[in-house]
Amino acid sequence: MKKTLQTLLGICLFILVTQTTTFAQGCVAIRSTGGLCTMDEHPDSLAPQGGWLFNANTRYFRSFRHFSGKQEQFQRIAQGTNVINHAFTEDSSLTRNFNNRWSMAFDVPIISNSRSSLYEHGGSQRHNTYASGVGDITLVGFGWLLNPAKAHKGNIQLGLGIKLPTGNDNAQSYFYNVGPNGSKRLGPVDQSIQPGDGGTGLITEVNAFYNFTHSFGFYGTFFYLINPQDVNGVSTARGGTASANSVLVTSDVMSIPDQIMARTGFSLGVNHFDFSAGARYECIPVHDLIGGSDGFRRPGWILSGEPGVDYRIKNISIYAYVPIAILRDRTQSVADIRTTELTGIYAHGDAAFADYVVNVGISVKF
């Protein structure tokens, strides 16, 4: 019975632990921030001596649907003026489980992004800009509120850590048909494909599960990245000169925004498989929790349905999660609000969102 309960606990934990925090919203600049929760999912992770866990997660999405508020701008695709982002992220995390209660995770994202647009290249020809490299590295410590050896039906885990500004927030690429006589110009790429945001952030997490039966359970996760710094100083003028109005409302430089993510759902264990179905909410808020909210950002949120499956054999787990967008909302930014106040004309920018995100990965205990 004890072994069975431990196995069931591991099944429910897997939903929390192997899925990295892989945010993906296209022009709404939500980046990968590493492991959500990295407590080992295997039954013998409850042993006092602890162990190590390596997790590799690959994410891909293509954003191309423009929204202003909740209203989709269908004409952008019809006219061929929509922005298309392709984003690849490989997250590699290593977790040390000190014992059955405490663990620490170290995550390194490798990013390769591209952005296709008309408006950034003179408006007459579509071209691409590129950004790649190491993203923002994170280090997070975790602890269970209840003793996992006794709390088989349910438990809550808290996480606290740091996000380091290791990713390049000033990656540059060429913009075409923008210089004299239609020449190209080198400048910082759009905020949505920059590998880093330029800020040191505080990571807070809450993970929870509850087993209703031996094979059916509930899971929940809440993640908040606090970025207290205001702006990173990187120009939004793509190598040119910022307009007087953008300087006035501070959108001439990039903001360092907070990030929010929440997941909840149910999991069903069948032999070596675990099937899950839930909801996923991701958000860049208009205002940060701490510090200023100046600069250019595309705040917004997306609510997705998130089916998932994983297969476990011995010390290896292979998994796939595909959040599918249900609701998307590009909210009014601080710069939009200031522009509205200054001009008396309502201003509300747009952003491109993805229809779905593909997350596949492997987790290995050693």
Side-chain angles (χ1 to χ4, degrees):
M1 176 61 72
K2 182 178 180 180
K3 186 68 173 179
T4 301
L5 289 173
Q6 290 178 344
T7 302
L8 294 172
L9 173 62
I11 289 173
C12 291
L13 284 178
F14 187 83
I15 299 298
L16 298 175
V17 302
T18 56
Q19 173 77 5
T20 54
T21 308
T22 47
F23 300 104
Q25 300 221 25
C27 286
V28 176
I30 299 182
R31 298 176 179 79
S32 170
T33 52
L36 242 187
C37 164
T38 45
M39 187 71 177
D40 194 350
E41 79 278 9
H42 295 280
D44 57 358
S45 69
L46 301 180
Q49 68 271 18
W52 292 89
L53 176 71
F54 173 76
N55 184 65
N57 181 89
T58 300
R59 172 192 64 162
Y60 167 75
F61 74 85
R62 173 178 175 264
S63 65
F64 65 102
R65 295 190 186 275
H66 284 256
F67 285 78
S68 181
K70 296 184 180 69
Q71 179 63 47
E72 182 175 355
Q73 298 177 324
F74 296 100
Q75 74 278 7
R76 297 294 297 273
I77 295 178
Q79 296 170 356
T81 61
N82 61 317
V83 174
I84 304 172
N85 281 7
H86 291 271
F88 291 88
T89 301
E90 179 64 37
D91 265 295
S92 297
S93 64
L94 184 64
T95 301
R96 172 58 177 171
N97 294 322
F98 300 109
N99 51 44
N100 66 346
R101 200 158 190 171
W102 300 97
S103 60
M104 180 167 287
F106 178 73
D107 182 271
V108 180
I110 305 296
I111 294 169
S112 179
N113 296 333
S114 66
R115 177 178 173 88
S116 170
S117 70
L118 282 171
Y119 84 94
E120 293 175 309
H121 303 278
S124 59
Q125 292 181 324
R126 181 177 289 272
H127 289 278
N128 292 317
T129 50
Y130 303 91
S132 61
V134 176
D136 288 344
I137 293 173
T138 62
L139 182 66
V140 185
F142 297 95
W144 292 101
L145 292 183
L146 305 177
N147 187 348
K150 299 178 180 179
H152 301 298
K153 288 191 69 68
N155 209 337
I156 299 174
Q157 186 187 57
L158 303 181
L160 184 65
I162 187 171
K163 180 192 72 69
L164 302 173
T166 52
N168 186 4
D169 62 346
N170 192 22
Q172 300 194 14
S173 191
Y174 280 104
F175 296 88
Y176 294 85
N177 304 316
V178 292
N181 301 317
S183 60
K184 64 183 180 180
R185 183 173 64 210
L186 184 66
V189 298
D190 187 81
Q191 184 183 52
S192 63
I193 64 170
Q194 290 284 352
D197 62 20
T200 299
L202 177 67
I203 294 173
T204 60
E205 301 186 25
V206 179
N207 302 297
F209 73 93
Y210 185 82
N211 292 327
F212 297 103
T213 69
H214 287 175
S215 59
F216 182 69
F218 163 85
Y219 65 90
T221 295
F222 179 77
F223 169 96
Y224 198 110
L225 170 63
I226 301 171
N227 265 325
Q229 294 168 261
D230 193 11
V231 297
N232 59 21
V234 177
S235 173
T236 60
R238 299 180 289 277
T241 302
S243 68
N245 183 70
S246 63
V247 173
L248 190 61
V249 300
T250 73
S251 64
D252 59 314
V253 292
M254 297 181 190
S255 180
I256 306 177
D258 288 358
Q259 298 183 18
I260 306 169
M261 195 277 291
R263 301 172 65 233
T264 186
F266 298 91
S267 62
L268 177 66
V270 181
N271 295 324
H272 291 286
F273 288 92
D274 188 38
F275 301 94
S276 65
R280 184 184 186 106
Y281 172 82
E282 300 164 88
C283 175
I284 287 289
V286 178
H287 299 280
D288 290 346
L289 187 64
I290 300 174
S293 304
D294 296 322
F296 178 83
R297 72 172 71 181
R298 297 184 183 94
W301 57 267
I302 182 169
L303 178 65
S304 304
E306 186 178 35
V309 61
D310 75 81
Y311 177 78
R312 298 171 309 283
I313 180 170
K314 296 184 178 180
N315 292 341
I316 298 176
S317 297
I318 302 172
Y319 61 90
Y321 295 85
V322 184
I324 302 170
I326 299 173
L327 294 174
R328 288 161 281 198
D329 186 353
R330 199 292 205 180
T331 50
Q332 192 182 31
S333 68
V334 169
D336 291 336
I337 294 170
R338 289 172 177 166
T339 299
T340 300
E341 293 172 346
L342 288 170
T343 64
I345 302 173
Y346 182 75
H348 193 149
D350 69 326
F353 290 79
D355 281 343
Y356 61 88
V357 184
V358 177
N359 289 287
V360 295
I362 184 170
S363 178
V364 181
K365 179 184 181 296
F366 57 94

